[in-house]
Amino acid sequence: MQYAKVKSVSKEILGRGPALRSLILKTMKACSDVVGSTLGPGGMSVVIERQEERLPPMITKDGVTVFRNLGFDNSAMQVVMEAARDAAIRTAAEAGDGTTTATILAEALVRKTMEFCDKNPKVSPQRVVRTLEKGFKVFVEPWIRDHVLTANLGTDGGRARLHAVAKVSANGDTQLADAVLKCFDLCGDEGNVTLIEASGPSGYEVEHMEGFPIGAGYEESCGKFYQAFINDPARQIVTLNKPQYILYHGRLADIYSALTLFEKIGEASAQGLCSHNVVIVATGFSETVLAHLATNFQDARTPNIYPLQAPLTPMQTGQYDFLADLAGITGGHIFDPLNAPLENAELSQLGTSDTFEATRFRSTVLGFRDEILILERVDQLKTLLKSGSLSLQGTSIVQERLGKITGGISKLKIVGASAGELREKRDRAEDAICAVRGALKNGALPGGAWALLNMRVWIGMLSAEDGYKFKPLEIQILQEVLAASFEEPARRLFTNAGYHEEELEDIFFQITSAAGPGCGCHDGPVGQEDFRVPVFDVLEGKMVDALTDGILDSTPAVLEAVRNSISIASLLGTCGGIVAFLRDAQLDRQDARDTNEFLRNSNVNEADERG
């Protein structure tokens, strides 16, 4: 007997035309409206229902959190939203802030691109996108770099600028900005700041902890399997208590070379002799090994083994040096395929620490095993610096390693009366920390949409004789698409604070016509202590000085917002069709129930093992 069956899963197919254009614009507008409502000091909170059972709704003003929780019934709209979300979230990952600006700007760029192509049928969307990318590389990025204000912890002026960046990113919370700056005072430029939550009267507490920051996160280490290792979905991090460390100077190509050691750990943890949490650090992992570890990580009956790839440095011995530093922190032995294979490893040779955390791009080891080991490693690095055998670059790298070992980690405790308040404060604290870290490396820019509005004016004055090598059509595209889009984040910033559309043109004119250094019309050096940049204070409703009144944005937040919004426009502005799976509501609900059941059982099993 023969059975009829389909050749492939049915999908929704939407080709190029008015329907596709309308769907893309509708989706981008919906994302821009809800995420954009959080922008600036006048931004409003968004209430998000949580998937987990018996948890109250989440209230947040963090744009990236809002974007992560968006979803549509329409499968094609969901695909468009996810494509835009990836680039917007990348802004937060690379700059720590600017997701909301990137989302608003992306919607404007996609809309303006389509409008321009409608008015100029002979100009393809691809040409518009190529011009936008050229404009960013040739004009926007150099313009921003030329107007950067330096910020550092070593001078009063630099500290004031860092405090201003933290305050703006924290939506005007001066107490939080003070706490963030204190954290960086304790751990230094290269140190890490870890966040914890506590119930009680609202406030912030800062402590110094022994710890070691690592410039590699789960995306780099775990590849496409990283979702399987995230055991704190709300914070999107991997966290392991009392982990053991396997340090391996080599690429782990198959699981069998480490299987004997894994079995020893499993037997010892079952008897309560050691922790079932393990971090294996190597120079690389094959996909087969990552797949095995990802599968076992989700099984409560096996040890939780997290793979961490030793980060690369310009020095040829960079990965081994990192393992040596980590050995000093954790007290572990470094294994290698020839002299110390994993097959012969003993549990006593493994390192330990209090806690291990991994985010998308950074990881942190909290707690030192033995202070004597730390001091020995510090002495070795100092001797290496004094030897005079290092190049300038090598000296800089060793100094950075020394700072990471000795600087430690600052712990910022967020205290709140409710779960909703703690979550909202934590989101703002994360933004402020990342913004300060970005400002330390790349400086700051005057806030209040100053950079976007001034770039809009300068693009409007471009001509073929300006030396940028733009053709007349390219200048027209930059003026009608890019410059016009730069207005949108500024409009949302002021309308969120209660300003009417009729007032905006006058405000924009005040911002772009105010005389003084930093307005694009000066030849003097940027970053001096007597520098003055007039900006508009949204809360006070008047022109103020950006430095004196503390209205500054982190440079990476502005730069990456523009870069990634153009990336979204290049993807959606040139989209010629969508192929998406049809949604099955019953299947989606069942999948959500299965996921919640698995997470609940995993948490119960872990609690039983710890208790």
Side-chain angles (χ1 to χ4, degrees):
M1 181 179 179
Q2 293 184 342
Y3 294 92
K5 65 178 181 179
V6 295
K7 291 185 177 181
S8 64
V9 179
S10 59
K11 299 177 183 178
E12 180 179 357
I13 302 174
L14 193 61
R16 183 178 181 183
L20 176 63
R21 169 186 166 146
S22 176
L23 182 136
I24 290 175
L25 292 178
K26 180 181 177 182
T27 306
M28 292 300 296
K29 181 70 163 56
C31 296
S32 176
D33 285 347
V34 68
V35 177
S37 65
T38 66
L39 182 65
M44 294 158 282
S45 299
V46 176
V47 182
I48 301 171
E49 182 182 17
R50 292 198 252 190
Q51 188 176 9
E52 296 88 350
E53 296 178 5
R54 295 184 293 276
L55 285 179
M58 178 170 57
I59 303 173
T60 182
K61 282 183 64 178
D62 180 50
V64 68
T65 302
V66 174
F67 214 155
R68 279 197 178 108
N69 285 276
L70 295 184
F72 292 94
D73 285 338
N74 185 297
S75 56
M77 293 179 69
Q78 178 72 15
V79 169
V80 172
M81 183 273 294
E82 289 178 354
R85 181 171 61 188
D86 179 66
I89 290 178
R90 194 182 308 125
T91 303
E94 294 172 358
D97 202 1
T99 305
T100 306
T101 301
T103 306
I104 298 169
L105 195 53
E107 186 275 332
L109 285 171
V110 172
R111 173 164 42 86
K112 298 289 184 184
T113 296
M114 293 182 176
E115 291 175 357
F116 185 88
C117 292
D118 288 343
K119 291 190 295 183
N120 303 272
K122 293 184 179 181
V123 180
S124 67
Q126 287 81 0
R127 181 162 188 179
V128 174
V129 167
R130 286 195 297 268
T131 302
L132 294 179
E133 292 172 345
K134 179 181 176 181
F136 176 83
K137 182 178 180 180
V138 175
F139 177 83
V140 173
E141 188 169 12
W143 193 96
I144 290 177
R145 300 291 187 194
D146 288 343
H147 293 79
V148 167
L149 308 172
T150 57
N152 54 64
L153 294 167
T155 63
D156 292 339
R159 290 177 58 81
R161 292 172 188 179
L162 292 175
H163 187 274
V165 168
K167 182 179 176 182
V168 168
S169 191
N171 286 337
D173 191 336
T174 303
Q175 187 181 5
L176 175 56
D178 292 339
V180 168
L181 203 60
K182 185 177 179 181
C183 287
F184 280 93
D185 283 335
L186 291 175
C187 67
D189 294 7
E190 297 296 334
N192 262 19
V193 180
T194 184
L195 300 175
I196 62 171
E197 300 171 1
S199 298
S202 298
Y204 306 95
E205 299 175 10
V206 177
E207 297 178 21
H208 188 255
M209 298 179 63
E210 295 177 332
F212 182 64
I214 302 170
Y218 52 68
E219 185 170 279
E220 179 182 350
S221 299
C222 307
K224 63 183 179 182
F225 302 99
Y226 73 88
Q227 283 288 353
F229 295 96
I230 296 176
N231 55 6
D232 190 344
R235 296 165 55 196
Q236 286 291 296
I237 68 170
V238 180
T239 178
L240 300 174
N241 292 323
K242 302 292 183 183
Q244 301 180 95
Y245 293 84
I246 303 172
L247 309 180
Y248 184 65
H249 185 231
R251 185 174 187 271
L252 200 62
D254 63 77
I255 200 72
Y256 301 105
S257 59
L259 199 56
T260 303
L261 179 57
F262 292 165
E263 291 174 350
K264 290 180 181 179
I265 294 173
E267 293 173 1
S269 63
Q271 299 173 18
L273 301 177
C274 69
S275 171
H276 71 294
N277 292 324
V278 180
V279 179
I280 180 168
V281 190
T283 58
F285 300 91
S286 68
E287 287 205 352
T288 304
V289 170
L290 292 176
H292 276 290
L293 296 181
T295 302
N296 290 332
F297 197 89
Q298 296 180 333
D299 190 342
R301 296 169 298 179
T302 61
N304 296 329
I305 303 174
Y306 172 81
L308 175 65
Q309 182 172 317
L312 292 167
T313 71
M315 297 184 70
Q316 194 170 9
T317 60
Q319 289 185 304
Y320 182 82
D321 293 338
F322 168 78
L323 290 171
D325 293 343
L326 193 56
I329 298 292
T330 63
H333 180 78
I334 300 177
F335 300 96
D336 64 73
L338 297 177
N339 302 316
L342 288 176
E343 291 89 339
N344 301 331
E346 299 295 334
L347 296 183
S348 59
Q349 295 176 298
L350 304 186
T352 58
S353 77
D354 293 337
T355 310
F356 174 83
E357 288 185 358
T359 61
R360 187 171 184 178
F361 294 111
R362 298 173 71 88
S363 302
T364 307
V365 176
L366 297 175
F368 296 156
R369 177 167 176 172
D370 190 339
E371 188 174 348
I372 295 178
L373 293 175
I374 296 292
L375 295 176
E376 289 178 354
R377 188 60 186 162
V378 169
D379 288 341
Q380 292 171 5
L381 293 178
K382 287 182 176 179
T383 302
L384 182 60
L385 286 173
K386 293 177 182 178
S387 66
S389 60
L390 297 172
S391 64
L392 289 176
Q393 185 183 43
T395 300
S396 175
I397 292 173
V398 173
Q399 288 174 340
E400 181 180 335
R401 289 167 53 201
L402 186 60
K404 287 181 178 181
I405 293 177
T406 58
I409 294 169
S410 296
K411 179 172 67 175
L412 176 56
K413 182 185 291 186
I414 302 168
V415 186
S418 66
E421 180 187 1
L422 285 172
R423 178 70 190 189
E424 192 271 338
K425 283 186 173 183
R426 184 186 185 93
D427 289 338
R428 289 192 288 113
E430 287 177 346
D431 284 350
I433 290 167
C434 292
V436 171
R437 186 178 288 122
L440 281 167
K441 292 182 178 179
N442 300 286
L445 288 169
W450 178 91
L452 296 180
L453 291 175
N454 276 281
M455 280 192 289
R456 179 202 65 162
V457 172
W458 280 88
I459 291 174
M461 296 188 298
L462 280 177
S463 67
E465 291 77 31
D466 282 338
Y468 289 107
K469 298 182 180 179
F470 289 131
K471 300 176 183 177
L473 178 59
E474 292 176 331
I475 292 175
Q476 183 186 359
I477 292 173
L478 292 177
Q479 291 174 345
E480 296 186 22
V481 179
L482 187 60
S485 299
F486 280 161
E487 284 189 12
E488 294 301 321
R491 288 185 179 277
R492 187 62 61 87
L493 174 69
F494 290 105
T495 53
N496 280 352
Y499 292 85
H500 298 293
E501 285 286 339
E502 296 78 13
E503 302 175 85
L504 298 188
E505 289 305 323
D506 178 59
I507 294 174
F508 293 172
F509 177 77
Q510 292 184 59
I511 294 173
T512 56
S513 63
C519 297
C521 55
H522 66 92
D523 298 319
V526 177
Q528 294 180 354
E529 295 301 320
D530 58 351
F531 210 62
R532 294 294 178 265
V533 186
V535 297
F536 193 88
D537 190 326
V538 176
L539 296 178
E540 297 296 330
K542 62 181 182 181
M543 295 295 294
V544 298
D545 177 63
L547 304 182
T548 304
D549 291 78
I551 303 178
L552 297 175
D553 289 327
S554 170
T555 300
V558 179
L559 192 62
E560 295 303 325
V562 179
R563 188 199 310 274
N564 290 325
S565 62
I566 292 176
S567 173
I568 296 173
S570 68
L571 177 70
L572 299 179
T574 61
C575 183
I578 294 176
V579 179
F581 289 99
L582 296 172
R583 295 294 185 264
D584 186 326
Q586 182 177 357
L587 185 62
D588 287 345
R589 285 195 296 270
Q590 184 60 46
D591 181 65
R593 282 195 291 267
D594 292 343
T595 301
N596 286 333
E597 186 70 20
F598 172 78
L599 292 174
R600 187 161 50 248
N601 291 337
S602 296
N603 291 336
V604 169
N605 290 334
E606 288 182 5
D608 290 343
E609 291 178 9
R610 288 194 299 266

